[in-house]
Each structure stands twice: as structure tokens, then as C-alpha cells.
Amino acid sequence: MRIALIATCLGDALFPEVAKATTVLLERLGHQVVFPADQVCCGQMHVNTGYLTEAVPVVRQHVEVFEAADFDVAVAPSGSCVGSVRHQQAMVARRVGDTALADRATALAGRTYELSELLVDVLKVTDVGAYYPHRVTYHPTCHSLRMLRVGEKPLQLLRAVQGIDLVELPGADQCCGFGGTFSIKNADTSSAMLADKVANVVGTGAQVCTAGDASCLMNIGGGLSRGDTGVQTIHLAQILASTREQVAA
Amino acid sequence: MSTFLGIPRRHAAQEESPLRGALPFPKAARRELANDQLRRNLAHATSVIRSKRALVVDEMPDWEALRDAGAATKTQVMSNLPALLEQFEANVTARGGVVHWATDAQEANRIVTELVRAQGVDEVIKVKSMATQEIGLNEYLEDNGIAAVETDLAELIVQLGHDTPSHILVPAIHRNRTEVRDIFLAEMEDAPADLTDEPRRLAMAAREHLRRKFLASKVAISGTNFGIAETGTIGVVESEGNGRMCVTLPETLITVMGIEKILPTFTDLEVFLQLLPRSSTGERMNPYTSLWTGVTPGDGPQNFHLILLDNGRTNALADQVGRAALHCIRCSACLNVCPVYERTGGHAYGSVYPGPIGAVLTPQLTGMHGHHDVNSTLPYASSLCGACYDVCPVKIPIPDLLVELRGRAVDADRGRTIPGGWDAAMKAAAWIMSDPTRFAAAEKGLAAGRLVAGRDKKIKHLPFPGSAWTHTKDMPAPPKQTFRQWWKETHHE
């Protein structure tokens, strides 16, 4: 399958290893990955901060770049960004009266998937041949959980990873407190939410906390790091891309 | 038409109201977050209600169908509200009730006070009611020499503690039992001197205290959960039976009802009496459901007055966000699952309607008037995690409504002479993020972040506004190479 990669703005700039791992994983599974080079951002930050009008050119850029690209399906290693593509892009376009853009965004959203959705629902694979010999706990990010309803898919993928010791995270479905600019606008409340998430992660005894969103992991990782907990954060795509050969090297 | 004599009416934005806080949400939240006891009380109480709710909802095979039915009925009600209200009024009147219409809090309070005065009493008993809290009725009555005694246990705790409610359903959720005992001992004149903090003893003390009030009171004031247009019936659901005492024992009953509480037909109760208790208290059925229709000679109150309260609802109805928010049946499920509410409690929202639905409803009822207005901070009091929508029994899309209200808060400030920091930052970001060349240039700038990072590649201090982040957590140093640079190196096409 020809799969277009949405690296996400945060992934491109701050967490390139997530997009790299997504690429490596999909290529290993025998697919062709394309990267439409003029992509930037889905527009979620603007939408969720209330700058809905400002989000429109960002959305237009996304739609135009991916419309022009040649691919079967698009994937983003981010439940949040895919949530934005599916639930917000058409909404902001419609809000400024651009129904044509709204329709184009909806059409693109129809073939855009979050990584675990792509693997399990579209590519019909749960065992991706990964090897990751660590104790891991999984945080289901809010938008994966409630906007996309990915449900058990990420866990199905993780359970099939060889060597992994997957431990359940108490209060898993509670928000980590990131919420984009919420973490700045309501920093105190956000930090209080994060403190509980960090305590829950540490309580599992896991060495690694994983999730399907680099943004939430940046928040949780920031708290784990400040608390000198020794617990690392790693994106689901990186675990799935990890192989025995790679670990041995 | 009365002659205008007074000072011009101030705009709602400046008016003191139980619907409007004094502080912007982030500041009020900081104040509440500092209270460790409050946070422990809230975390415990909300998690208990959450798991109870989840249990009784999971056992319902048709829960989603019930939610759909509830949402559909509410949509129907909002589309036909004027006609339904007229039908309701006609049926209440035909059954011996007296209907009054109040456009705002002031008018509703004045009507209630006149009705109480007409009975020649200076003390009334009350059923817990959000509508009367919303209009500040107790305070208004007090200013007019009338004592209003709350008979709901939690509401009584709040009243005796000279406190304000912090939850729609569990107004004293922020108090633990030791605090309750201390309040009773200090403020309840007939509390036993050897009162302990055992819940049963506390309940018994309140019961003794209230029983005397029930038997002596001539006038009761209630709110309502449902008003049924088809029959003119009022419904109140509760757990303790105090409400039933109020609506049956006194000679006069005065009910204040928000105009959105209408249900078209009696059979609609079938859906809502399943949705409400499971969503609110996590019970299959609430212990007491009281329904009354007008006046029945020789049985129950012989004077029944119904005050239909607008107080911003008509304005809300004319707006797509407001109309959706008016679907709310005040179950408070969204409060109990909200991670923001769980940490800050209800007082941080500054309104009698806290939590996710409060963050939508409050600005709808009292307006958002630019960045200086505390109401403009409420739509941001959410991480948009979506838990509120999942539990809403009438499927109010709260996160979507919050996003739209954020959009309006921003729009209200457009054209400011001096744009705010967020305006400048978001405009710049949109300029960068709508163009790949500009974005790539900005990414180069990010590399400067590597300089401020320590050897461990962590940034521990950022200047404002990044300091809001690094105050409690680290920021990773930007990588040496962006993804698109790596792609160029590895994928020559």
C-alpha cells in the first residue's frame, strides 16, 4: 500500500524519531511510505485555543498538500492530530463559510488514520514483529480514546510485542493535563493533573511509559523527568519499530 | 410602564450574580488548588460517584438508545418551547395552580418574597434547587427579613457553614465528615453536644433538626427537575425525602422552574427517570420521585405558585451553543468525570453552575464581554479530554461547545488597539504553519533551544510564557535534525 505520512508539526520539529519509527515500521511491513514535503500542521493548536479563523489557512495548507499527493491512505502517529483532521478541519472551514474546503477536508479525513487504526483496521496486522524487552505501561491519550475510539487496538499491538512486560496503568483514562495551550493557560490545574498521572505511572514500576501521542508524552515525560523518576517515555511507534536486531546492535 | 427614577441599569457583565465569579478561572483555580484537604475530599468523592455511575450504566443494554431518546426529546422541546410553555401554563392553571413569569433574577425574587409575605411568615423551608441558587433567592429573602431553611442535607451543611455550594448535585462535596460535625456543633442550635463524625449520627442530628422545621412551616419553596406540558405536572427527584416533606406538608408551595425544564408528555418521564439517577448519583432509581399537579383539595399544599424563570434562557435559546447547553438536566455527571473539576472544585468556576457544563452555561446565561470578563476564561477551563461528552445523558457535545465559545472569546477581542500576547503569538504561528518554507525556517530557530538545554538535553527554565511549562516539568531539547531533514537524507525519490 502507498501510505502518506503526516509527520505532525510537533513530530517533525521536536520528536523526529516518532515519524522515523513510523516510516521504518511501515516499510518493514512492505509498504511504500511517501512524505508530502510541503505539509506543516493540522491546525489543532489554533482551533483549541480559539483562533478558529487563523486555523483556516493552516487547514487549507494541509488539505492542498495531501490532495496533491499520490497515496492510498494517510497516517499520523498521533490520535490528537487525526482527531483534529476528522473532527475540526471541516468545522473551521464551514464556520468561515468555505464549504468547498470543508468538503475537501472531509474527503481527506475519510482516508486518514491514526497509526494503530491503520495497522489493525486497514493493514489487518497486530503482530508487527517487534521486540522490546522492557516493562511498559500504556497511557491511552484522550483524543485516541474519545475522539477516535481506538479502544483496544494499541494494546493488541503492544501485547504482540516480543519480550515486553506490559503493566496496567491505574487511572489510565484520565487526562494527563496537557490539552495543548491548556497547559500554559491553566498551568496550575494542568500541573495538578500531571502530578497524579506521574504518580500513577511511577506506581506501576514500569521503566517506560508509552502512548500514541508525542504531545501527551512530552507532558508526562516532562513530569517524570523533573521528578527524577528514571521512567522514560517512548511513542508506541518506536516500540513497534523496535526489533531484536536493533536491540542487539 | 413605571417611571424611570434610578441609576441606569448596569450591564450584566459588571453585575454581581451567583452566576458570575470575581476572578478569572486560572486565578481562582490556583486559590483552590492550594487547599490540599479540598483536593483529597474531591478526589475521593468524585471517584466514588464515578465508579458507581459506571457500574449502573454498564448494566443497561439500551443506554445509548436512552441517551439518543433523551437528546431527541430535548431537541424537540427547544424547538417548540413557547408552545409547550403555554400548554404547561394552561394545564397548571386549570388544575388550580397560579403561574408567574419572571424575566430575570430580580423579578423572580420579588415575586417569591411577595408570595411569602402574603402568608405572613418570616421563615420558609426549601427543597434543594439550582434555580433558586441561580437567582440568589436565599440572600434576597434574608435581606427582606425572611429566613429560608435548606432541608437537603448537603445544602444544609453549606448553609450552616456560611459557605457556597461547589457541586450541582453534592453541594458540600468539598467538605469531609469531620468538617460537617464541626459546622453542626457551631451553627445548629439543637445539635447534640456529644455529636461525633459518624455519618449516621450526623444524619440523625440533621433529621431531628429538620423534622421540627417541617412540622412548623407554612410555606415551602422548591425547584423542579421536570415540568410536564401535557398535564401541568411538576416532578422533583431526590434521595432523602426532605423534598417530599416540603412539597406535601406546608399550606403553600412556591416552585421556581427554569423554562427549559419542560417535557412534552408524561411518558417522556420514562426516559428521563432512567437517565437522571444513573447519571447523577449512580443509582438505578432515586429513592424519592415526587410528582404533583396543581392543587388537590384536602391533600398537600392548598396554594401552589409556579414561577417560570427566564434569566438569560431565551437569549441562550436563540444561539446554537446556548440551545445545546439548555438540554442539560443538571445530573452533574460531567462534573464528576472532569479532571479539571476534580482538582479545582466548583468554587473556582465562580458560578452556581461549575464544571464542564457550567463553563458552557455560565457564559451563555450572563454573556462574555471581552478579555477583561472572567466569563471569557471559562471556556478554557478544560483540557478538552472529552470525558464530559461521554457521560452526558442527553449527549451535549460539551467539548465542541467549549471550542466554539473559545472562538467567540477570541473574536470578541478582535480589533483591540493593543492585541494581547496570545493574539500576536497565534497570528504569527498561523503565518508560519500555513507555509512550509516559513515553518522550516522556524525549525532552524528552534535549534537555539539546544543551547539552553543542559548536558542531559533537558530544558529546565524557559522565559515567560514557556515558564508556565518549565515551572513544574522539563522540556526536551530540540533534536539535531528534524524529520524532514532526515527524510531528505534517506529517501531520495
PDB file of all heavy atoms in Angstrom, chain A residues 81-114:
ATOM      1  N   CYS A  81      -3.834  14.551  16.409  1.00  0.00           N
ATOM      2  CA  CYS A  81      -3.827  15.210  15.098  1.00  0.00           C
ATOM      3  C   CYS A  81      -4.862  14.580  14.173  1.00  0.00           C
ATOM      4  O   CYS A  81      -5.526  15.283  13.415  1.00  0.00           O
ATOM      5  CB  CYS A  81      -2.432  15.152  14.485  1.00  0.00           C
ATOM      6  SG  CYS A  81      -1.183  15.923  15.530  1.00  0.00           S
ATOM      7  N   VAL A  82      -5.031  13.261  14.243  1.00  0.00           N
ATOM      8  CA  VAL A  82      -6.046  12.619  13.413  1.00  0.00           C
ATOM      9  C   VAL A  82      -7.438  13.059  13.890  1.00  0.00           C
ATOM     10  O   VAL A  82      -8.345  13.300  13.084  1.00  0.00           O
ATOM     11  CB  VAL A  82      -5.896  11.082  13.421  1.00  0.00           C
ATOM     12  CG1 VAL A  82      -7.050  10.424  12.660  1.00  0.00           C
ATOM     13  CG2 VAL A  82      -4.564  10.681  12.810  1.00  0.00           C
ATOM     14  N   GLY A  83      -7.589  13.204  15.197  1.00  0.00           N
ATOM     15  CA  GLY A  83      -8.849  13.739  15.735  1.00  0.00           C
ATOM     16  C   GLY A  83      -9.139  15.118  15.172  1.00  0.00           C
ATOM     17  O   GLY A  83     -10.271  15.443  14.819  1.00  0.00           O
ATOM     18  N   SER A  84      -8.107  15.919  15.074  1.00  0.00           N
ATOM     19  CA  SER A  84      -8.261  17.259  14.526  1.00  0.00           C
ATOM     20  C   SER A  84      -8.653  17.201  13.048  1.00  0.00           C
ATOM     21  O   SER A  84      -9.543  17.926  12.594  1.00  0.00           O
ATOM     22  CB  SER A  84      -6.944  18.024  14.717  1.00  0.00           C
ATOM     23  OG  SER A  84      -6.791  19.034  13.773  1.00  0.00           O
ATOM     24  N   VAL A  85      -8.003  16.315  12.300  1.00  0.00           N
ATOM     25  CA  VAL A  85      -8.322  16.156  10.873  1.00  0.00           C
ATOM     26  C   VAL A  85      -9.786  15.722  10.711  1.00  0.00           C
ATOM     27  O   VAL A  85     -10.521  16.252   9.889  1.00  0.00           O
ATOM     28  CB  VAL A  85      -7.373  15.123  10.223  1.00  0.00           C
ATOM     29  CG1 VAL A  85      -7.888  14.694   8.858  1.00  0.00           C
ATOM     30  CG2 VAL A  85      -5.963  15.700  10.111  1.00  0.00           C
ATOM     31  N   ARG A  86     -10.219  14.786  11.552  1.00  0.00           N
ATOM     32  CA  ARG A  86     -11.569  14.253  11.390  1.00  0.00           C
ATOM     33  C   ARG A  86     -12.664  15.150  11.950  1.00  0.00           C
ATOM     34  O   ARG A  86     -13.752  15.211  11.406  1.00  0.00           O
ATOM     35  CB  ARG A  86     -11.676  12.890  12.090  1.00  0.00           C
ATOM     36  CG  ARG A  86     -11.147  11.803  11.226  1.00  0.00           C
ATOM     37  CD  ARG A  86     -11.560  10.441  11.747  1.00  0.00           C
ATOM     38  NE  ARG A  86     -10.554   9.477  11.310  1.00  0.00           N
ATOM     39  CZ  ARG A  86     -10.288   8.352  11.944  1.00  0.00           C
ATOM     40  NH1 ARG A  86     -10.947   8.046  13.035  1.00  0.00           N
ATOM     41  NH2 ARG A  86      -9.367   7.548  11.481  1.00  0.00           N
ATOM     42  N   HIS A  87     -12.381  15.800  13.054  1.00  0.00           N
ATOM     43  CA  HIS A  87     -13.469  16.497  13.751  1.00  0.00           C
ATOM     44  C   HIS A  87     -13.392  18.015  13.716  1.00  0.00           C
ATOM     45  O   HIS A  87     -14.341  18.687  14.077  1.00  0.00           O
ATOM     46  CB  HIS A  87     -13.535  16.042  15.211  1.00  0.00           C
ATOM     47  CG  HIS A  87     -13.895  14.603  15.357  1.00  0.00           C
ATOM     48  ND1 HIS A  87     -15.186  14.149  15.220  1.00  0.00           N
ATOM     49  CD2 HIS A  87     -13.130  13.512  15.580  1.00  0.00           C
ATOM     50  CE1 HIS A  87     -15.198  12.844  15.362  1.00  0.00           C
ATOM     51  NE2 HIS A  87     -13.962  12.429  15.584  1.00  0.00           N
ATOM     52  N   GLN A  88     -12.253  18.568  13.313  1.00  0.00           N
ATOM     53  CA  GLN A  88     -12.137  20.019  13.428  1.00  0.00           C
ATOM     54  C   GLN A  88     -11.915  20.731  12.105  1.00  0.00           C
ATOM     55  O   GLN A  88     -12.374  21.859  11.926  1.00  0.00           O
ATOM     56  CB  GLN A  88     -10.997  20.370  14.393  1.00  0.00           C
ATOM     57  CG  GLN A  88     -11.275  19.864  15.806  1.00  0.00           C
ATOM     58  CD  GLN A  88     -10.218  20.313  16.793  1.00  0.00           C
ATOM     59  OE1 GLN A  88      -9.064  20.505  16.429  1.00  0.00           O
ATOM     60  NE2 GLN A  88     -10.617  20.493  18.040  1.00  0.00           N
ATOM     61  N   GLN A  89     -11.209  20.090  11.177  1.00  0.00           N
ATOM     62  CA  GLN A  89     -10.844  20.813   9.960  1.00  0.00           C
ATOM     63  C   GLN A  89     -12.078  21.277   9.181  1.00  0.00           C
ATOM     64  O   GLN A  89     -12.183  22.446   8.810  1.00  0.00           O
ATOM     65  CB  GLN A  89      -9.950  19.931   9.082  1.00  0.00           C
ATOM     66  CG  GLN A  89      -8.564  19.733   9.700  1.00  0.00           C
ATOM     67  CD  GLN A  89      -7.546  19.215   8.712  1.00  0.00           C
ATOM     68  OE1 GLN A  89      -7.893  18.593   7.714  1.00  0.00           O
ATOM     69  NE2 GLN A  89      -6.275  19.454   8.994  1.00  0.00           N
ATOM     70  N   ALA A  90     -13.012  20.374   8.959  1.00  0.00           N
ATOM     71  CA  ALA A  90     -14.217  20.749   8.214  1.00  0.00           C
ATOM     72  C   ALA A  90     -15.015  21.786   9.006  1.00  0.00           C
ATOM     73  O   ALA A  90     -15.595  22.712   8.432  1.00  0.00           O
ATOM     74  CB  ALA A  90     -15.065  19.517   7.935  1.00  0.00           C
ATOM     75  N   MET A  91     -15.018  21.641  10.321  1.00  0.00           N
ATOM     76  CA  MET A  91     -15.779  22.557  11.169  1.00  0.00           C
ATOM     77  C   MET A  91     -15.272  23.999  11.023  1.00  0.00           C
ATOM     78  O   MET A  91     -16.067  24.922  10.843  1.00  0.00           O
ATOM     79  CB  MET A  91     -15.682  22.077  12.625  1.00  0.00           C
ATOM     80  CG  MET A  91     -16.405  22.897  13.652  1.00  0.00           C
ATOM     81  SD  MET A  91     -15.393  24.207  14.395  1.00  0.00           S
ATOM     82  CE  MET A  91     -14.295  23.257  15.448  1.00  0.00           C
ATOM     83  N   VAL A  92     -13.953  24.192  11.067  1.00  0.00           N
ATOM     84  CA  VAL A  92     -13.458  25.576  10.969  1.00  0.00           C
ATOM     85  C   VAL A  92     -13.676  26.140   9.562  1.00  0.00           C
ATOM     86  O   VAL A  92     -13.970  27.326   9.393  1.00  0.00           O
ATOM     87  CB  VAL A  92     -11.972  25.738  11.377  1.00  0.00           C
ATOM     88  CG1 VAL A  92     -11.795  25.493  12.842  1.00  0.00           C
ATOM     89  CG2 VAL A  92     -11.038  24.885  10.550  1.00  0.00           C
ATOM     90  N   ALA A  93     -13.571  25.266   8.557  1.00  0.00           N
ATOM     91  CA  ALA A  93     -13.800  25.732   7.184  1.00  0.00           C
ATOM     92  C   ALA A  93     -15.249  26.176   7.023  1.00  0.00           C
ATOM     93  O   ALA A  93     -15.537  27.232   6.469  1.00  0.00           O
ATOM     94  CB  ALA A  93     -13.456  24.635   6.190  1.00  0.00           C
ATOM     95  N   ARG A  94     -16.148  25.349   7.542  1.00  0.00           N
ATOM     96  CA  ARG A  94     -17.573  25.662   7.437  1.00  0.00           C
ATOM     97  C   ARG A  94     -17.902  26.945   8.202  1.00  0.00           C
ATOM     98  O   ARG A  94     -18.726  27.744   7.783  1.00  0.00           O
ATOM     99  CB  ARG A  94     -18.388  24.484   7.984  1.00  0.00           C
ATOM    100  CG  ARG A  94     -19.777  24.386   7.398  1.00  0.00           C
ATOM    101  CD  ARG A  94     -20.383  23.008   7.614  1.00  0.00           C
ATOM    102  NE  ARG A  94     -19.876  22.012   6.686  1.00  0.00           N
ATOM    103  CZ  ARG A  94     -19.357  20.844   7.051  1.00  0.00           C
ATOM    104  NH1 ARG A  94     -19.255  20.539   8.335  1.00  0.00           N
ATOM    105  NH2 ARG A  94     -18.939  19.987   6.145  1.00  0.00           N
ATOM    106  N   ARG A  95     -17.227  27.131   9.329  1.00  0.00           N
ATOM    107  CA  ARG A  95     -17.501  28.300  10.184  1.00  0.00           C
ATOM    108  C   ARG A  95     -17.215  29.615   9.464  1.00  0.00           C
ATOM    109  O   ARG A  95     -17.868  30.621   9.717  1.00  0.00           O
ATOM    110  CB  ARG A  95     -16.642  28.195  11.452  1.00  0.00           C
ATOM    111  CG  ARG A  95     -17.091  29.111  12.579  1.00  0.00           C
ATOM    112  CD  ARG A  95     -16.275  28.810  13.816  1.00  0.00           C
ATOM    113  NE  ARG A  95     -16.648  29.660  14.938  1.00  0.00           N
ATOM    114  CZ  ARG A  95     -16.077  30.819  15.189  1.00  0.00           C
ATOM    115  NH1 ARG A  95     -15.144  31.288  14.397  1.00  0.00           N
ATOM    116  NH2 ARG A  95     -16.458  31.535  16.238  1.00  0.00           N
ATOM    117  N   VAL A  96     -16.200  29.610   8.558  1.00  0.00           N
ATOM    118  CA  VAL A  96     -15.927  30.840   7.810  1.00  0.00           C
ATOM    119  C   VAL A  96     -16.634  30.816   6.446  1.00  0.00           C
ATOM    120  O   VAL A  96     -16.367  31.645   5.590  1.00  0.00           O
ATOM    121  CB  VAL A  96     -14.409  31.079   7.606  1.00  0.00           C
ATOM    122  CG1 VAL A  96     -13.718  31.306   8.933  1.00  0.00           C
ATOM    123  CG2 VAL A  96     -13.753  29.929   6.836  1.00  0.00           C
ATOM    124  N   GLY A  97     -17.530  29.851   6.267  1.00  0.00           N
ATOM    125  CA  GLY A  97     -18.345  29.818   5.057  1.00  0.00           C
ATOM    126  C   GLY A  97     -17.681  29.144   3.863  1.00  0.00           C
ATOM    127  O   GLY A  97     -18.186  29.208   2.755  1.00  0.00           O
ATOM    128  N   ASP A  98     -16.537  28.499   4.082  1.00  0.00           N
ATOM    129  CA  ASP A  98     -15.839  27.838   2.971  1.00  0.00           C
ATOM    130  C   ASP A  98     -16.277  26.372   2.900  1.00  0.00           C
ATOM    131  O   ASP A  98     -15.553  25.466   3.322  1.00  0.00           O
ATOM    132  CB  ASP A  98     -14.325  27.963   3.173  1.00  0.00           C
ATOM    133  CG  ASP A  98     -13.543  27.645   1.898  1.00  0.00           C
ATOM    134  OD1 ASP A  98     -14.114  26.975   1.014  1.00  0.00           O
ATOM    135  OD2 ASP A  98     -12.380  28.066   1.799  1.00  0.00           O
ATOM    136  N   THR A  99     -17.457  26.142   2.357  1.00  0.00           N
ATOM    137  CA  THR A  99     -17.983  24.767   2.341  1.00  0.00           C
ATOM    138  C   THR A  99     -17.181  23.869   1.399  1.00  0.00           C
ATOM    139  O   THR A  99     -17.085  22.668   1.628  1.00  0.00           O
ATOM    140  CB  THR A  99     -19.468  24.739   1.920  1.00  0.00           C
ATOM    141  OG1 THR A  99     -19.619  25.553   0.754  1.00  0.00           O
ATOM    142  CG2 THR A  99     -20.361  25.266   3.016  1.00  0.00           C
ATOM    143  N   ALA A 100     -16.603  24.474   0.349  1.00  0.00           N
ATOM    144  CA  ALA A 100     -15.797  23.667  -0.571  1.00  0.00           C
ATOM    145  C   ALA A 100     -14.601  23.079   0.167  1.00  0.00           C
ATOM    146  O   ALA A 100     -14.317  21.875   0.072  1.00  0.00           O
ATOM    147  CB  ALA A 100     -15.337  24.525  -1.746  1.00  0.00           C
ATOM    148  N   LEU A 101     -13.933  23.923   0.940  1.00  0.00           N
ATOM    149  CA  LEU A 101     -12.786  23.443   1.722  1.00  0.00           C
ATOM    150  C   LEU A 101     -13.239  22.403   2.753  1.00  0.00           C
ATOM    151  O   LEU A 101     -12.556  21.395   2.972  1.00  0.00           O
ATOM    152  CB  LEU A 101     -12.078  24.619   2.429  1.00  0.00           C
ATOM    153  CG  LEU A 101     -10.859  24.254   3.273  1.00  0.00           C
ATOM    154  CD1 LEU A 101      -9.743  23.650   2.425  1.00  0.00           C
ATOM    155  CD2 LEU A 101     -10.325  25.481   4.035  1.00  0.00           C
ATOM    156  N   ALA A 102     -14.395  22.642   3.337  1.00  0.00           N
ATOM    157  CA  ALA A 102     -14.930  21.690   4.328  1.00  0.00           C
ATOM    158  C   ALA A 102     -15.134  20.320   3.691  1.00  0.00           C
ATOM    159  O   ALA A 102     -14.774  19.292   4.282  1.00  0.00           O
ATOM    160  CB  ALA A 102     -16.235  22.216   4.911  1.00  0.00           C
ATOM    161  N   ASP A 103     -15.702  20.309   2.494  1.00  0.00           N
ATOM    162  CA  ASP A 103     -15.940  19.037   1.804  1.00  0.00           C
ATOM    163  C   ASP A 103     -14.632  18.340   1.446  1.00  0.00           C
ATOM    164  O   ASP A 103     -14.504  17.121   1.564  1.00  0.00           O
ATOM    165  CB  ASP A 103     -16.768  19.274   0.531  1.00  0.00           C
ATOM    166  CG  ASP A 103     -18.188  19.721   0.861  1.00  0.00           C
ATOM    167  OD1 ASP A 103     -18.585  19.567   2.038  1.00  0.00           O
ATOM    168  OD2 ASP A 103     -18.881  20.231  -0.038  1.00  0.00           O
ATOM    169  N   ARG A 104     -13.649  19.127   1.016  1.00  0.00           N
ATOM    170  CA  ARG A 104     -12.356  18.544   0.657  1.00  0.00           C
ATOM    171  C   ARG A 104     -11.684  17.959   1.909  1.00  0.00           C
ATOM    172  O   ARG A 104     -11.090  16.879   1.866  1.00  0.00           O
ATOM    173  CB  ARG A 104     -11.466  19.608   0.019  1.00  0.00           C
ATOM    174  CG  ARG A 104     -11.942  20.035  -1.374  1.00  0.00           C
ATOM    175  CD  ARG A 104     -11.367  21.368  -1.791  1.00  0.00           C
ATOM    176  NE  ARG A 104      -9.928  21.319  -1.990  1.00  0.00           N
ATOM    177  CZ  ARG A 104      -9.153  22.421  -2.116  1.00  0.00           C
ATOM    178  NH1 ARG A 104      -9.689  23.626  -2.051  1.00  0.00           N
ATOM    179  NH2 ARG A 104      -7.855  22.302  -2.301  1.00  0.00           N
ATOM    180  N   ALA A 105     -11.795  18.701   3.012  1.00  0.00           N
ATOM    181  CA  ALA A 105     -11.200  18.222   4.273  1.00  0.00           C
ATOM    182  C   ALA A 105     -11.867  16.924   4.720  1.00  0.00           C
ATOM    183  O   ALA A 105     -11.206  15.990   5.176  1.00  0.00           O
ATOM    184  CB  ALA A 105     -11.328  19.290   5.349  1.00  0.00           C
ATOM    185  N   THR A 106     -13.198  16.865   4.580  1.00  0.00           N
ATOM    186  CA  THR A 106     -13.933  15.660   4.977  1.00  0.00           C
ATOM    187  C   THR A 106     -13.495  14.460   4.132  1.00  0.00           C
ATOM    188  O   THR A 106     -13.307  13.357   4.649  1.00  0.00           O
ATOM    189  CB  THR A 106     -15.452  15.889   4.821  1.00  0.00           C
ATOM    190  OG1 THR A 106     -15.799  17.062   5.557  1.00  0.00           O
ATOM    191  CG2 THR A 106     -16.248  14.713   5.348  1.00  0.00           C
ATOM    192  N   ALA A 107     -13.327  14.698   2.830  1.00  0.00           N
ATOM    193  CA  ALA A 107     -12.917  13.613   1.941  1.00  0.00           C
ATOM    194  C   ALA A 107     -11.538  13.072   2.330  1.00  0.00           C
ATOM    195  O   ALA A 107     -11.326  11.862   2.401  1.00  0.00           O
ATOM    196  CB  ALA A 107     -12.904  14.108   0.493  1.00  0.00           C
ATOM    197  N   LEU A 108     -10.622  13.988   2.632  1.00  0.00           N
ATOM    198  CA  LEU A 108      -9.277  13.568   3.046  1.00  0.00           C
ATOM    199  C   LEU A 108      -9.314  12.845   4.388  1.00  0.00           C
ATOM    200  O   LEU A 108      -8.627  11.834   4.579  1.00  0.00           O
ATOM    201  CB  LEU A 108      -8.377  14.788   3.198  1.00  0.00           C
ATOM    202  CG  LEU A 108      -7.411  15.090   2.064  1.00  0.00           C
ATOM    203  CD1 LEU A 108      -6.646  16.353   2.395  1.00  0.00           C
ATOM    204  CD2 LEU A 108      -6.443  13.923   1.862  1.00  0.00           C
ATOM    205  N   ALA A 109     -10.126  13.369   5.282  1.00  0.00           N
ATOM    206  CA  ALA A 109     -10.230  12.765   6.614  1.00  0.00           C
ATOM    207  C   ALA A 109     -10.682  11.314   6.486  1.00  0.00           C
ATOM    208  O   ALA A 109     -10.280  10.462   7.280  1.00  0.00           O
ATOM    209  CB  ALA A 109     -11.198  13.563   7.478  1.00  0.00           C
ATOM    210  N   GLY A 110     -11.491  11.029   5.471  1.00  0.00           N
ATOM    211  CA  GLY A 110     -12.010   9.686   5.243  1.00  0.00           C
ATOM    212  C   GLY A 110     -10.925   8.665   4.953  1.00  0.00           C
ATOM    213  O   GLY A 110     -11.139   7.459   5.097  1.00  0.00           O
ATOM    214  N   ARG A 111      -9.762   9.128   4.489  1.00  0.00           N
ATOM    215  CA  ARG A 111      -8.674   8.157   4.282  1.00  0.00           C
ATOM    216  C   ARG A 111      -7.433   8.502   5.113  1.00  0.00           C
ATOM    217  O   ARG A 111      -6.301   8.237   4.734  1.00  0.00           O
ATOM    218  CB  ARG A 111      -8.352   7.977   2.791  1.00  0.00           C
ATOM    219  CG  ARG A 111      -8.265   9.245   1.979  1.00  0.00           C
ATOM    220  CD  ARG A 111      -7.997   8.903   0.520  1.00  0.00           C
ATOM    221  NE  ARG A 111      -7.627  10.115  -0.216  1.00  0.00           N
ATOM    222  CZ  ARG A 111      -6.650  10.174  -1.101  1.00  0.00           C
ATOM    223  NH1 ARG A 111      -5.927   9.119  -1.362  1.00  0.00           N
ATOM    224  NH2 ARG A 111      -6.380  11.300  -1.727  1.00  0.00           N
ATOM    225  N   THR A 112      -7.681   9.134   6.259  1.00  0.00           N
ATOM    226  CA  THR A 112      -6.591   9.446   7.188  1.00  0.00           C
ATOM    227  C   THR A 112      -6.770   8.619   8.464  1.00  0.00           C
ATOM    228  O   THR A 112      -7.867   8.600   9.035  1.00  0.00           O
ATOM    229  CB  THR A 112      -6.595  10.948   7.541  1.00  0.00           C
ATOM    230  OG1 THR A 112      -6.503  11.705   6.336  1.00  0.00           O
ATOM    231  CG2 THR A 112      -5.442  11.302   8.465  1.00  0.00           C
ATOM    232  N   TYR A 113      -5.726   7.951   8.881  1.00  0.00           N
ATOM    233  CA  TYR A 113      -5.813   7.057  10.046  1.00  0.00           C
ATOM    234  C   TYR A 113      -4.727   7.339  11.064  1.00  0.00           C
ATOM    235  O   TYR A 113      -3.628   7.775  10.719  1.00  0.00           O
ATOM    236  CB  TYR A 113      -5.690   5.585   9.609  1.00  0.00           C
ATOM    237  CG  TYR A 113      -6.792   5.145   8.694  1.00  0.00           C
ATOM    238  CD1 TYR A 113      -6.684   5.309   7.312  1.00  0.00           C
ATOM    239  CD2 TYR A 113      -7.958   4.585   9.204  1.00  0.00           C
ATOM    240  CE1 TYR A 113      -7.706   4.921   6.456  1.00  0.00           C
ATOM    241  CE2 TYR A 113      -8.988   4.192   8.359  1.00  0.00           C
ATOM    242  CZ  TYR A 113      -8.859   4.364   6.989  1.00  0.00           C
ATOM    243  OH  TYR A 113      -9.872   3.986   6.154  1.00  0.00           O
ATOM    244  N   GLU A 114      -5.073   7.042  12.290  1.00  0.00           N
ATOM    245  CA  GLU A 114      -4.080   7.027  13.359  1.00  0.00           C
ATOM    246  C   GLU A 114      -3.318   5.704  13.223  1.00  0.00           C
ATOM    247  O   GLU A 114      -3.847   4.730  12.662  1.00  0.00           O
ATOM    248  CB  GLU A 114      -4.813   7.146  14.698  1.00  0.00           C
ATOM    249  CG  GLU A 114      -3.941   7.216  15.938  1.00  0.00           C
ATOM    250  CD  GLU A 114      -3.683   5.853  16.544  1.00  0.00           C
ATOM    251  OE1 GLU A 114      -4.404   4.895  16.186  1.00  0.00           O
ATOM    252  OE2 GLU A 114      -2.769   5.748  17.363  1.00  0.00           O
TER     253      GLU A 114
END
